[in-house]
Amino acid sequence: MHLPRFILLKLPSKATNRYLFYGVLVGLALSVTTTSVVSYFQERKRKREELTFEPRPIELRSDEVVDGVTGLIGNTPLVRIKSLSDALGVEILGKAEFMNPGGSVKDRVALRMIEDAEERGLLHPHTGSRIFEGTVGSTGISIATIARAKGYEATIIMPDDVAEEKVKALLALGAEVERVRPASIVDKKQFVNLARERAKNFGSQPDPAHPMETHRGHLIPTASSSILVTTTVDEALADNALMSPKEEREFALKPRGFFADQFENRSNYYAHYDGTGPEIWRQTSGWIDAFVSGAGTGGTIAGTGQYLKSKKKDLLVALSDPEGSGLYNKVKYGVMFDRKEAEGTKRRHQVDTVVEGIGINRLTHNFELALPIIDDAFRVTDAEAVAMSRYLVHNDGLFLGSSSACNLVACVKLVKKLGWNNGQRIVTILCDSGNRHYSKFWNDDYLAKANIPIDTSIIDKLLAEPSSA
């Protein structure tokens, strides 16, 4: 009788088994020891860096009083997004910009643009001057808020398909609102172009001596080609004559029209380079591994990203971009093109998305400043953004707007792509709350008509996906 071949195979000896066991045991011990040593030195490095930091930025206390509404702008807290952080094994922190008095991150930009104009002598408060801006809403609300506080009037030109809550807020703040059909930037009737034109014509009035002619105000030279200022005074300026001190004072006190131009105005960038970036750096004590932000004008990601990169060269900066926007393709492939642009199926003329405030199909000066420091980009669908907003309400009690939800989806995608799960810190911008989005992003009927599903399981699946690293 022949025994099966596998029974005849010689089994390892007891000594061999013992050596194998000891080898595995030593390997596990070395692995655990190495991980512990690396973690120990990383923690020591973090603690050393923390000792070099100055005290935290301004924190409101019961014995502190800020000077008016502008004193409330900035120094917003960082909030840990508990549900996402716990699920991923990282720290996702949101800069709570919805806590600014105007309700959004745009308060910083509006304040900086106006203060820079005042510092350059282009604007003088309580002179009947008017600030003009083209916006989808948040910047307009911020400008209207600060204009009132500083003694200016505001005219806001905006597309007629933005959330109705933004229009009501502007009117409540006393702004003059003009709603126009969404159009491309090459169209003279596009909202930004119209804002510029309105500022250019500020002070124009019929000439009594010649009824068919119009008396126009005159442009005041500025350091930037994007900023436009007009004045109702024309004699001295038209003749380029030298003015006496008295005439200069009178000239300064005449009403002016100021086109802020948030898309191209460098003050937008500096509001974040000098404000948002340093705040994040101090609030995290330099412990930050990535910064994620969307882009509309590009000022937030450019200014904040540039500052943080100047403090930590290996910090990763990532763009969050909604459907229909061309910025994702510009970062990933070097071209501004989206296939939907050729399909003629857009709900909006500018960007095909329910997300408001971020996403654009042209390169602004401020976004060009961001291109050298953006390391990656993530496309976020409308369904993902909607799902994230509902997920956060259910799990964290956070009621956020569309761009905030978009940014947090991008944070999750970044973590999954890099395989992070060891406490890495990702900071993003919570641009505004859901209070400005009842009629669209937070309106189930509107979403149903736009064929956008409301399904929080999208986020559950995203969180459960294996990392691609």
Side-chain angles (χ1 to χ4, degrees):
M1 185 177 112
H2 296 283
L3 293 173
R5 185 175 179 81
F6 69 87
I7 294 179
L8 298 176
L9 291 175
K10 187 176 181 181
L11 296 174
S13 66
K14 290 184 178 180
T16 301
N17 286 333
R18 188 166 60 251
Y19 293 143
L20 284 171
F21 173 76
Y22 288 150
V24 171
L25 194 62
V26 170
L28 287 172
L30 285 173
S31 176
V32 171
T33 303
T34 303
T35 302
S36 300
V37 169
V38 170
S39 298
Y40 170 74
F41 281 108
Q42 285 179 341
E43 188 62 27
R44 279 192 60 184
K45 181 182 177 183
R46 284 172 183 159
K47 287 181 178 178
R48 275 200 313 271
E49 289 176 345
E50 286 177 6
L51 292 175
T52 66
F53 276 79
E54 298 175 3
R56 297 278 294 278
I58 297 170
E59 295 176 352
L60 297 182
R61 301 192 305 269
S62 59
D63 60 343
E64 285 185 337
V65 178
V66 297
D67 188 19
V69 71
T70 58
L72 296 170
I73 297 172
N75 292 303
T76 54
L78 274 180
V79 57
R80 179 177 184 266
I81 312 300
K82 190 175 186 303
S83 64
L84 301 180
S85 299
D86 291 348
L88 295 168
V90 298
E91 296 294 296
I92 294 182
L93 310 179
K95 188 88 164 115
E97 292 298 293
F98 55 83
M99 295 184 70
N100 282 306
S104 81
V105 65
K106 293 298 186 178
D107 280 12
R108 297 176 183 268
V109 178
L111 180 62
R112 183 62 182 257
M113 290 192 300
I114 293 171
E115 287 188 338
D116 283 354
E118 290 176 334
E119 187 177 328
R120 295 167 188 154
L122 300 175
L123 273 178
H124 303 277
H126 305 291
T127 57
S129 296
R130 183 174 289 272
I131 300 170
F132 296 82
E133 184 59 294
T135 168
V136 294
S138 289
T139 304
I141 293 170
S142 297
I143 285 177
T145 301
I146 297 164
R148 278 295 176 199
K150 282 182 163 285
Y152 301 103
E153 301 296 326
T155 293
I156 306 301
I157 319 293
M158 61 197 309
D160 60 12
D161 65 343
V162 301
E164 194 65 30
E165 295 77 31
K166 297 179 180 180
V167 180
K168 291 178 179 177
L170 284 165
L171 294 172
L173 288 164
E176 181 182 279
V177 179
E178 184 178 344
R179 305 178 72 179
V180 299
R181 180 183 62 85
S184 167
I185 191 65
V186 298
D187 191 328
K188 290 182 180 180
K189 294 183 179 180
Q190 195 262 1
F191 62 96
V192 175
N193 294 333
L194 282 174
R196 173 186 285 273
E197 189 64 21
R198 299 291 184 268
K200 186 177 179 180
N201 292 328
F202 177 76
S204 297
Q205 54 189 352
D207 187 340
H210 305 87
M212 299 300 293
E213 296 181 10
T214 299
H215 168 75
R216 290 183 174 273
H218 282 270
L219 292 174
I220 297 175
T222 65
S224 169
S225 60
S226 69
I227 301 171
L228 186 144
V229 185
T230 57
T231 177
T232 54
V233 172
D234 64 347
E235 290 86 358
L237 188 62
D239 298 334
N240 291 317
L242 291 175
M243 291 182 282
S244 67
K246 181 181 178 181
E247 288 173 327
E248 286 184 353
R249 285 193 297 272
E250 291 177 353
F251 175 67
L253 293 176
K254 290 293 183 180
R256 296 182 176 187
F258 174 72
F259 173 53
D261 198 11
Q262 57 167 329
F263 289 90
E264 310 298 335
N265 193 330
R266 185 71 75 93
S267 297
N268 184 344
Y269 166 86
Y270 283 118
H272 298 290
Y273 188 88
D274 295 335
T276 317
E279 285 176 31
I280 290 172
W281 184 249
R282 289 194 297 267
Q283 287 170 317
T284 59
S285 296
W287 177 14
I288 174 174
D289 299 293
F291 173 68
V292 176
S293 175
T297 65
T300 303
I301 194 168
T304 308
Q306 285 275 13
Y307 179 85
L308 293 174
K309 280 267 194 182
S310 73
K311 305 299 287 186
K312 186 177 181 179
K313 287 184 172 55
D314 61 348
L315 175 120
L316 191 149
V317 176
L319 171 74
S320 163
D321 207 36
E323 289 182 296
S325 172
L327 299 181
Y328 170 84
N329 286 304
K330 181 62 180 178
V331 172
K332 300 291 283 186
Y333 311 114
V335 293
M336 289 283 290
F337 176 79
D338 188 282
R339 64 183 182 83
K340 289 190 176 183
E341 295 302 301
E343 293 177 355
T345 59
K346 296 194 293 182
R347 292 186 298 274
R348 296 188 59 198
H349 193 218
Q350 183 191 10
V351 176
D352 181 21
T353 179
V354 73
V355 175
E356 292 184 357
I358 60 175
I360 194 170
N361 278 309
R362 63 185 173 91
L363 274 183
T364 67
H365 174 65
N366 282 304
F367 189 76
E368 285 180 331
L369 296 174
L371 280 173
I373 54 98
I374 297 178
D375 301 292
D376 208 344
F378 296 90
R379 171 80 80 210
V380 178
T381 67
D382 284 347
E384 288 172 332
V386 168
M388 178 60 79
S389 67
R390 274 61 174 181
Y391 181 92
L392 291 168
V393 163
H394 181 77
N395 291 282
D396 298 271
L398 279 171
F399 182 49
L400 299 176
S402 55
S403 54
S404 302
C406 194
N407 285 344
L408 287 168
V409 172
C411 286
V412 175
K413 291 187 175 185
L414 170 69
V415 170
K416 288 294 182 179
K417 179 178 180 178
L418 298 178
W420 284 355
N421 59 9
N422 193 30
Q424 290 89 347
R425 269 188 174 177
I426 304 96
V427 175
T428 192
I429 302 295
L430 305 182
C431 313
D432 64 3
S433 75
N435 292 328
R436 294 179 180 171
H437 301 269
Y438 287 120
S439 60
K440 291 184 67 178
F441 187 74
W442 277 97
N443 185 319
D444 292 359
D445 291 336
Y446 175 88
L447 295 176
K449 290 176 183 176
N451 296 317
I452 300 172
I454 303 172
D455 182 6
T456 56
S457 69
I458 291 173
I459 303 304
D460 291 320
K461 292 173 185 176
L462 186 60
L463 292 171
E465 281 180 8
S467 66
S468 56

